[in-house]
Amino acid sequence: MEEQVQKNAAPEQNPIVKQKIQRLRELYADAPELGKVALEKGIPDLAREFAAATTAVQNAGRIGARQGKVSELTGILPIAKGGAKRLRGLLQLLEGNFRGADKVGTLHDMRFVFLDNDTKLLFATAYDGEWDAYIDDFVTKIPNSLDLLFCNIEGWPGIHSPTIKEWLVQHQVAAEAWYVAHPNLTVAETRRLENVGKAVADFLDKVG
Amino acid sequence: MSLHEAVAGDLPLGAPTLDLHEIQATVLRPRPAPYFGTHLLFRIDDAQAGRAFLRRLTPHVDSAAGWWSAKTPWLDVGISYAGLKALGLSDDSLQSFPEAFRQGMAARARQLGDTGVNDPKNWDQPYGKGEVHIGVSAFSDSAENRRRILGIAREQFEGFAGVSVLAMQDFGAQPGDRNPLGYKDGIDQPAIEGSGVDPLPGQGQPIKPGEFILGYPGEAGFPLPMPQPDILGRNGTYVGFRKYQSRVGAFNRFLHSHGSNEAERELLAAKLVGRWRSGAPLVLAPEVDDPSLGADLQRNNDFNYANDPRGRQAPFGCHIRRMNPRDSKLTRLTDVNLHRLIRRGTTYGPPYDPNALSEADDEVPRGAIFLFISAKAMATIEFLQQEWINDGNFIGIGDERDPIIGLHEEGAAFTIPKDPVRRLVRGIETFNVLRGGEYFFIPSISGLNWLANLGGK
């Protein structure tokens, strides 16, 4: 506790923080002038981050980062011949409606970005827990949705392939940094709190 | 060609009939009631001796043919990864086993959530050190039959150099077939397609055999990858062996601090599990115990949660609703059939004593050794530990953990849904502490013979 107070009082005096600032100055030695200026101006803020830093990020199972209960999955997937046209068409027709994803119950978001002249797909999602845990459930519960999306990817072994986990891991790129505003709020918990909020509002409407 | 294609080609994908003569009896045969038995753990000190030991043992290992009758005592044999290595199995074959099995249960503590008091560093001897190579369990329906079957087992290892006995643990049903916390247990088991017996009411649609036995299609329509060669893998399965110490004093103190009379305490005890101590399920007997219901195999498991969507009868967090949520509404896309285990609970130590209230009572050696059997036991136990036991998110109750087998931090609570407002019961502790564990492969009878004769005699 005392240590914490001390850290907050003068983070720049903390030897670890000092070391980190020193390291940052070295890294930015060859930065453009405006970068160097920004670094010097930003040092008080950065020192506070450094002082607070306990490893907030953990491992999300085999690959990927997790903060609290929320994990990230980023994949860069080679698009199969004709796959870009099909996948873009499918995504456009869906107009952002992903009820299948609602059903999964752990997906906070998903993004699909076409890269390098439609030869690659960036797929990024934030989800609860470890994805391996439920992959078998996807196989028996929503095999079609996944095959429909990912048949457009080169080398997709099919959701029923026993090598599916290895395939996914091979295409996953671990994020270097991962920030979550509410690391303890899972999708299920968010929905529950939303309902609690509504119930309270209804109650207040009735008594007010 | 992938392993999956190689295996799927020659399998009937319709309704396979299990090769009962090949599968070890314990996989399908429930323990008798009452039951008497012993677990024996061995270390192989010499590969040749280890194989000779298996050759002597295998003729006494019972198959699952006629598994529905448990009148004659039987032995089963499981072999850990370290054991397979010690027997001289080839590297290619060793590498064909799943990663979690190769690492062993202690090394998977992170994935299993076996931390704190359950950490492998606190385990009893000889668990978690890679020394347990062979596990033999003897099951029987009487003390006399136990002596007989154990005598047969002893003849195979006593005075036999090259194999050491590391532990012998007797187990047996307590009066009334109760477990160390005083409950009748082991009631709900998955029904397995092709096993030759109609499911009991409430068991639901039989589950595809490949979930429990290697070489058959699972729920996804294809078999799981099998250890190689085929004769070793086919009709085999895995068991997660977990030894728990029951802190009976702590459990009773918890009941006493929240219930001022026996009726209140028994209701609370029932709410924690989802069944009365008699085995009668709360959704069928919500107000008072019904021992005749608890004892009736045709009725004691014949229920679902359709009429209890808000957990007013069986709380969402109770033990049996977690271990088999049946038709409960879950927050995540889940196929309940994929996360089932065949459970063989074996109780050891003195019977449950409702008046044991002291801290010394927590240390009396008594508890249960569970055999959790499945063709993907490692993955399933990790899933259950992470999702259904040490979390509550899957059923919409946040961080709450299983009150019976969960690992708890100070201040843990249990929610009992109730009208008009829920009751939050504080003071849940780790009532069952993990004291050891190992993964074993349970080969088929042919697999055992093949291993026993590796590299000639």
Side-chain angles (χ1 to χ4, degrees), chain B residues 182-423:
Chain B
Y183 298 84
K184 183 179 160 74
D185 69 359
I187 296 168
D188 182 31
Q189 301 283 355
I192 302 166
E193 189 179 290
S195 62
V197 166
D198 289 339
L200 285 164
Q203 270 189 310
Q205 274 294 103
I207 298 174
K208 299 284 180 208
E211 297 296 317
F212 302 102
I213 299 151
L214 292 163
Y216 300 90
E219 288 286 300
F222 53 82
L224 293 167
M226 287 196 300
Q228 295 300 308
D230 191 89
I231 190 165
L232 177 62
R234 188 174 296 276
N235 288 309
T237 185
Y238 298 94
V239 61
F241 187 98
R242 285 168 79 80
K243 179 187 180 186
Y244 285 92
Q245 158 80 23
S246 297
R247 297 178 60 230
V248 175
F251 186 69
N252 286 338
R253 290 194 296 278
F254 168 80
L255 295 180
H256 276 263
S257 67
H258 296 285
S260 52
N261 56 51
E262 199 189 331
E264 283 181 18
R265 290 194 286 272
E266 286 306 295
L267 179 62
L268 176 57
K271 289 285 185 184
L272 297 176
V273 167
R275 291 183 188 270
W276 297 89
R277 282 197 161 111
S278 70
L282 276 176
V283 291
L284 299 181
E287 307 291 336
V288 286
D289 190 9
D290 180 352
S292 67
L293 169 64
D296 185 347
L297 289 177
Q298 297 296 319
R299 293 191 296 138
N300 67 11
N301 201 35
D302 189 12
F303 65 93
N304 59 29
Y305 296 107
N307 294 322
D308 190 21
R310 294 162 72 215
R312 294 300 186 270
Q313 292 159 356
F316 295 120
C318 74
H319 178 62
I320 66 163
R321 202 160 178 164
R322 287 171 172 273
M323 293 299 88
N324 182 8
R326 303 182 190 223
D327 56 346
S328 297
K329 189 171 179 287
L330 302 183
T331 63
R332 299 178 160 193
L333 181 81
T334 310
D335 186 335
V336 172
N337 282 353
L338 296 182
H339 308 294
R340 302 294 308 283
L341 292 162
I342 300 168
R343 293 167 302 130
R344 306 279 174 246
T346 59
T347 293
Y348 65 90
Y352 174 68
D353 173 3
N355 300 314
L357 288 162
S358 73
E359 286 184 17
D361 289 315
D362 294 344
E363 295 306 318
V364 174
R366 79 177 125 200
I369 291 175
F370 284 97
L371 275 56
F372 296 118
I373 301 167
S374 148
K376 50 173 193 197
M378 292 70 63
T380 303
I381 296 171
E382 287 181 5
F383 174 92
L384 294 176
Q385 284 284 117
Q386 284 171 19
E387 297 290 325
W388 289 3
I389 294 172
N390 289 323
D391 200 357
N393 194 46
F394 78 104
I395 201 158
I397 52 169
D399 283 339
E400 224 169 81
R401 296 176 170 205
D402 187 307
I404 301 295
I405 54 170
L407 174 70
H408 297 278
E409 284 170 17
E410 208 170 318
F414 178 72
T415 304
I416 301 176
K418 224 175 130 188
D419 287 317
V421 287
R422 54 102 177 109
R423 178 179 176 208

Side-chain angles (χ1 to χ4, degrees), chain A residues 15-35:
Chain A
I16 295 165
V17 173
K18 267 177 150 170
Q19 225 173 13
K20 285 188 172 180
I21 292 169
Q22 177 59 28
R23 177 82 190 110
L24 211 50
R25 284 201 174 110
E26 285 162 25
L27 283 168
Y28 271 70
D30 62 352
E33 201 47 39
L34 69 108

Side-chain angles (χ1 to χ4, degrees), chain A residues 41-117:
Chain A
K41 282 188 180 166
I43 275 176
D45 285 341
L46 286 164
R48 270 190 292 278
E49 301 282 3
F50 293 155
T54 49
T55 21
V57 175
Q58 296 166 299
N59 224 316
R62 294 198 213 190
I63 186 170
R66 178 159 85 188
Q67 193 165 147
K69 291 174 179 168
V70 187
S71 308
E72 62 88 22
L73 185 152
T74 311
I76 295 183
L77 311 165
I79 297 179
K81 195 165 185 292
K85 188 178 161 213
R86 286 193 297 269
L87 184 56
R88 180 174 275 126
L90 171 67
L91 293 170
Q92 284 174 350
L93 290 167
L94 282 170
E95 295 184 75
N97 294 299
F98 290 92
R99 288 175 59 184
D102 273 359
K103 218 162 72 175
V104 169
T106 53
L107 294 171
H108 290 254
D109 58 40
M110 284 193 289
R111 85 184 56 178
F112 300 84
V113 184
F114 290 88
L115 302 176
D116 294 351
N117 219 1

